């Protein structure tokens, strides 16, 4: 009898559920285009400039006139040569130059050229580099018909990552770097929470694609992880014996 009662109860419950499920509930509201549109905040308007000028929100680091935004690494005046709208490395005692301002994540544009008739082979021809936050080098080298180790050629993250391709123009023609750099974030123990990353276009061609940088640029030995904050951009005066390279149209946007 108890089993029969249970069966009857289940049957009644099932019928009641069936009746309830058959009620005509309201249909969900129909989506409209406006439901997935948002209008604020509006991005800032930026004049993109021209091929030879910087965007309106950029910091112009070199406009062809002077080195007022640069200094030697020891804090003394920068001694590179400025002439005809470009600056040229002065090798020897002049040394590297660095920006007076310091930066973190950024978009950087710079143009550089090795002179016609430049001589030398491998790392001894048109060698320089741009150091992001003063620590991580994107290599500059005359790699036009000039082989060297691939993680030290033009467009490489020096001693770490070879470029995807080699879009180097011949000596006497200007090359450009457009660099998107994401600065590292550190844990309390000084190790990376997020490692530095860089994307590099050379002459409009992708050579580094969101590349993870393992640590500081070292000529001998492995990269080191050193906790730091914002840092300067450094342009290298390399000790190779070849004729010096020149730079122009350098600007940066903080990200």
């Amino acid at each position: 009898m108890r089993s029969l009662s249970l069966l009857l109860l289940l049957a009644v419950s099932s019928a009641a559920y069936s009746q309830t499920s058959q009620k005509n509930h309201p249909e969900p509201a129909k989506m409209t285009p406006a439901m997935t549109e948002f209008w604020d905040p509006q991005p800032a308007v930026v004049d993109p400039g021209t091929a030879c000028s910087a965007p309106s929100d950029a910091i112009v680091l070199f406009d062809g006139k002077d080195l007022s935004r640069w200094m030697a690494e020891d804090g003394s005046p920068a001694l590179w040569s400025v002439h005809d709208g470009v600056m040229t490395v002065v090798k020897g005692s002049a040394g590297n130059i660095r920006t007076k301002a310091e930066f973190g994540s950024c978009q950087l544009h710079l143009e550089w050229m090795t002179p016609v008739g430049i001589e030398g082979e491998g790392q001894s021809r048109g060698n320089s580099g741009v150091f992001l936050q003063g620590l991580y080098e994107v290599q500059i080298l005359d790699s036009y018909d000039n082989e060297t180790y691939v993680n030290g050629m033009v467009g490489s993250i020096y001693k770490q990552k070879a470029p995807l391709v080699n879009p180097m123009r011949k000596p006497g023609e200007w090359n450009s770097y457009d660099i998107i750099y994401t600065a590292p974030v550190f844990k309390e123990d000084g190790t990376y929470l997020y490692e530095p990353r860089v994307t590099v276009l050379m002459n409009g061609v992708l050579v580094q694609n969101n590349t993870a940088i393992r640590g500081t640029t070292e000529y001998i030995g492995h990269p080191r992880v050193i906790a730091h904050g914002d840092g300067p951009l450094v342009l290298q005066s390399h000790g190779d014996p070849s004729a010096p390279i020149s730079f122009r149209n350098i600007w940066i946007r903080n990200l």
Side-chain angles (χ1 to χ4, degrees):
M1 179 66 81
R2 189 172 295 175
S3 297
L4 179 58
S5 298
L6 181 58
L7 290 171
L8 288 171
L9 180 60
L10 290 172
V12 171
S13 298
S14 178
Y17 176 78
S18 178
Q19 291 176 1
T20 301
S21 65
Q22 292 173 1
K23 287 182 179 180
N24 293 324
H25 294 115
E27 292 290 328
K30 291 185 177 180
M31 292 293 293
T32 66
M35 288 180 177
T36 52
E37 298 168 358
F38 58 91
W39 288 72
D40 293 302
Q42 290 283 323
V45 175
V46 172
D47 182 339
T50 66
C52 297
S53 66
S56 58
D57 65 345
I59 300 168
V60 177
L61 297 174
F62 179 68
D63 61 2
K65 297 177 181 178
D66 57 51
L67 296 176
S68 59
R69 291 186 177 270
W70 299 82
M71 60 184 179
E73 288 199 288
D74 63 3
S76 61
L79 297 178
W80 288 13
S81 170
V82 178
H83 58 95
D84 303 317
V86 306
M87 65 175 174
T88 299
V89 176
V90 174
K91 296 192 174 184
S93 60
N96 301 341
I97 62 172
R98 52 154 289 178
T99 54
K100 294 178 179 177
E102 297 188 341
F103 305 96
S105 298
C106 64
Q107 175 186 351
L108 171 67
H109 176 89
L110 72 158
E111 299 170 17
W112 50 275
M113 179 182 67
T114 56
V116 174
I118 191 168
E119 297 179 350
E121 296 181 352
Q123 296 289 304
S124 295
R125 190 168 112 191
N127 198 328
S128 184
V130 53
F131 287 78
L132 304 166
Q133 296 192 296
L135 296 169
Y136 313 110
E137 182 184 11
V138 179
Q139 172 74 318
I140 293 174
L141 187 77
D142 181 9
S143 291
Y144 185 84
D145 196 23
N146 177 37
E147 289 190 352
T148 187
Y149 46 92
V150 294
N151 61 344
M153 66 181 291
V154 73
S156 66
I157 308 305
Y158 186 71
K159 286 288 185 83
Q160 295 190 40
K161 183 70 173 181
L164 296 170
V165 292
N166 177 7
M168 179 81 191
R169 293 193 171 110
K170 63 184 179 182
E173 296 184 8
W174 286 96
N175 297 276
S176 66
Y177 272 160
D178 287 284
I179 297 172
I180 310 298
Y181 172 67
T182 302
V185 177
F186 295 91
K187 301 177 186 176
E188 290 186 2
D189 65 1
T191 60
Y192 288 137
L193 177 62
Y194 301 111
E195 59 214 342
R197 287 186 171 270
V198 67
T199 294
V200 182
L201 288 94
M202 179 178 174
N203 298 328
V205 179
L206 186 68
V207 293
Q208 297 289 341
N209 185 16
N210 194 31
T211 299
I213 299 174
R214 303 199 315 273
T216 59
T217 295
E218 304 291 335
Y219 178 53
I220 299 174
H222 297 289
R224 295 179 296 150
V225 178
I226 301 174
H228 61 85
D230 289 351
L233 294 173
V234 175
L235 295 179
Q236 185 182 38
S237 173
H238 194 271
D240 76 272
S242 67
I245 73 171
S246 297
F247 294 87
R248 71 178 185 186
N249 195 21
I250 305 175
W251 53 261
I252 193 169
R253 297 178 65 244
N254 287 307
L255 298 180

